[in-house]
């Protein structure tokens, strides 16, 4: 009841600013032109960021992510992985330095336009008290009624087997808090549905933040294989503090205490015998 009251206060109290509504068509045309002109999707130069204006979280990052490239972003908890992603999708602005999207600085794009170009999965996802179809199909409303699209997304998210648990198939209501005939799911099963929702996206850029945190190591590897296959030809960023998946990436970015400590392929970083190599050996032994 408290949650419903809070939601009502938000819906009735949030200001409406019709004059700031984005012209999606014009923005899409602008980004399309930039895409043709630039080989780099994201570029950072001497990037610094703090949440409170005092304690810096990211320190002087320099990197470029090219079109069609798969990047594995790895590092210990608290190294700045999720913070960097929030900057890339435009949720925050850097304190200093340059951040570019298809060659143009972020400030040159209307607020909210960049994240509209990116398909995202965040580790703090949410499943709705609605049907399985809706929970997956909300990733792309255009295909909400297309069974084949929904089933394909479930397959790519590793959730196709959940249909055996659902007497009503795609129309199965999730969770029992609202409807007694709903099904309750484990943490790993919920994560697979949220990943399936991301796979509904037709975006050229996909970001997955800890998409297998609730899965065992074998299921995790299979999840990343599915993601790698789905993102082939697209630009993608895969994030995890467990790094067994990183060898699938074109390049690996290693963050340590907010600094970009190492960049390279799996083989190159093992040869360097630095942070990544040590991290990899420790997890492999475990």
């Amino acid at each position: 009841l408290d949650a419903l009251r809070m939601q009502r206060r938000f819906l009735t109290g949030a200001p409406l600013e019709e004059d700031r509504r984005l012209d999606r068509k014009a923005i899409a045309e602008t980004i399309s032109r930039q895409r043709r002109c630039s080989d780099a999707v994201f570029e950072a130069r001497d990037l610094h960021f703090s949440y409170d204006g005092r304690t810096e979280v990211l320190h002087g990052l320099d990197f470029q992510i090219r079109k069609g490239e798969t990047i594995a972003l790895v590092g210990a908890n608290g190294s700045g992985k999720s913070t960097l992603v929030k900057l890339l999708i435009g949720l925050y602005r850097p304190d200093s330095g340059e951040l570019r999207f298809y060659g143009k600085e972020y400030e040159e794009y209307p607020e909210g336009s960049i994240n509209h170009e990116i398909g995202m999965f965040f580790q703090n996802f949410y499943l709705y008290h609605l049907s399985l179809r809706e929970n997956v199909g909300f990733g792309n409303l255009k295909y909400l009624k297309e069974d084949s699209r929904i089933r394909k997304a479930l397959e790519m998210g590793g959730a196709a087997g959940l249909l055996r648990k659902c007497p009503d198939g795609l129309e199965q209501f999730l969770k029992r808090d609202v409807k007694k005939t709903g099904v309750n799911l484990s943490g790993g099963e919920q994560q697979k549905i949220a990943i399936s929702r991301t796979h509904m996206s037709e975006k050229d850029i996909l970001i997955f933040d800890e998409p297998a945190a609730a899965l065992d190591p074998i299921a995790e590897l299979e999840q990343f294989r599915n993601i790698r296959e789905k993102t082939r030809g697209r630009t993608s960023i895969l994030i995890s503090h467990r790094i067994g998946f990183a060898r699938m990436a074109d390049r690996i970015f290693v963050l340590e205490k907010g600094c970009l400590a190492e960049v390279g392929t799996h083989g190159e970083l093992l040869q360097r015998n630095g942070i990544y190599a040590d991290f990899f050996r420790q997890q492999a032994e475990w």
Side-chain angles (χ1 to χ4, degrees):
L1 191 58
D2 287 340
L4 288 173
R5 289 196 188 103
M6 188 181 299
Q7 185 183 55
R8 179 179 176 82
R9 284 199 301 272
F10 173 77
L11 291 175
T12 57
L16 298 176
E17 300 183 45
E18 298 294 335
D19 58 320
R20 293 186 61 193
R21 208 181 314 180
L22 298 179
D23 184 344
R24 294 293 182 194
K25 185 177 179 181
I27 291 169
E29 290 173 354
T30 299
I31 291 177
S32 181
R33 285 196 300 271
Q34 287 302 121
R35 189 183 294 120
R36 291 193 296 270
C37 296
S38 176
D39 185 54
V41 179
F42 300 108
E43 292 179 90
R45 298 174 187 172
D46 195 26
L47 190 70
H48 294 261
F49 175 75
S50 63
Y51 285 103
D52 58 9
R54 297 186 301 275
T55 307
E56 208 169 75
V57 179
L58 298 177
H59 319 291
L61 303 190
D62 288 282
F63 62 84
Q64 184 182 87
I65 298 175
R66 297 180 290 272
K67 284 187 286 191
E69 194 173 27
T70 295
I71 298 295
L73 184 57
V74 304
N77 289 335
S79 60
K81 302 186 299 295
S82 295
T83 298
L84 176 56
V85 166
K86 290 172 184 175
L87 263 68
L88 292 181
I89 65 176
L91 288 181
Y92 295 98
R93 298 294 192 191
D95 293 349
S96 63
E98 289 185 11
L99 189 57
R100 295 176 177 269
F101 183 67
Y102 287 125
K104 285 180 64 174
E105 291 196 33
Y106 273 50
E107 288 75 10
E108 298 182 57
Y109 292 95
E111 187 175 349
S113 61
I114 291 176
N115 61 30
H116 191 72
E117 299 297 313
I118 303 170
M120 294 166 284
F121 169 85
F122 286 116
Q123 54 185 308
N124 54 340
F125 62 86
Y126 185 78
L127 292 189
Y128 304 98
H129 294 267
L130 296 168
S131 69
L132 177 59
R133 173 192 300 280
E134 291 164 312
N135 270 282
V136 176
F138 283 170
N140 194 333
L141 291 174
K142 183 165 63 173
Y143 301 118
L144 183 61
K145 299 297 183 182
E146 293 192 19
D147 289 12
S148 59
R149 291 267 187 171
I150 303 289
R151 291 179 184 276
K152 181 64 175 176
L154 285 167
E155 181 183 336
M156 294 303 298
L162 292 179
L163 286 171
R164 293 192 294 270
K165 192 173 180 178
C166 299
D168 295 328
L170 294 178
E171 311 311 323
Q172 178 63 56
F173 199 88
L174 301 186
K175 301 187 178 183
R176 292 178 183 164
D177 304 45
V178 174
K179 201 170 184 179
K180 291 183 179 179
T181 56
V183 295
N184 282 331
L185 304 170
S186 69
E189 289 170 335
Q190 292 182 52
Q191 190 168 52
K192 288 177 179 180
I193 291 175
I195 285 287
S196 301
R197 181 191 300 157
T198 305
H199 281 306
M200 288 290 293
S201 171
E202 292 183 316
K203 308 298 185 184
D204 289 329
I205 307 165
L206 295 171
I207 297 176
F208 295 88
D209 185 6
E210 298 282 5
L215 304 180
D216 62 74
I218 301 300
E220 176 191 44
L221 187 59
E222 187 60 32
Q223 183 69 272
F224 278 113
R225 281 180 180 147
N226 288 337
I227 291 172
R228 186 70 177 98
E229 180 61 31
K230 172 70 176 178
T231 58
R232 202 171 297 279
R234 303 183 186 188
T235 305
S236 57
I237 301 174
L238 312 179
I239 304 164
S240 178
H241 66 280
R242 298 190 299 200
I243 62 174
F245 76 95
R247 66 183 71 190
M248 300 180 189
D250 298 313
R251 286 190 299 154
I252 301 163
F253 288 7
V254 183
L255 279 175
E256 184 182 45
K257 297 180 181 178
C259 296
L260 189 54
E262 296 177 344
V263 177
T265 65
H266 174 72
E268 289 169 349
L269 294 184
L270 285 185
Q271 280 191 335
R272 191 174 298 174
N273 202 30
I275 298 169
Y276 176 83
D278 185 52
F279 204 4
F280 186 83
R281 283 193 295 266
Q282 287 182 27
Q283 292 200 9
E285 183 179 349
W286 174 78

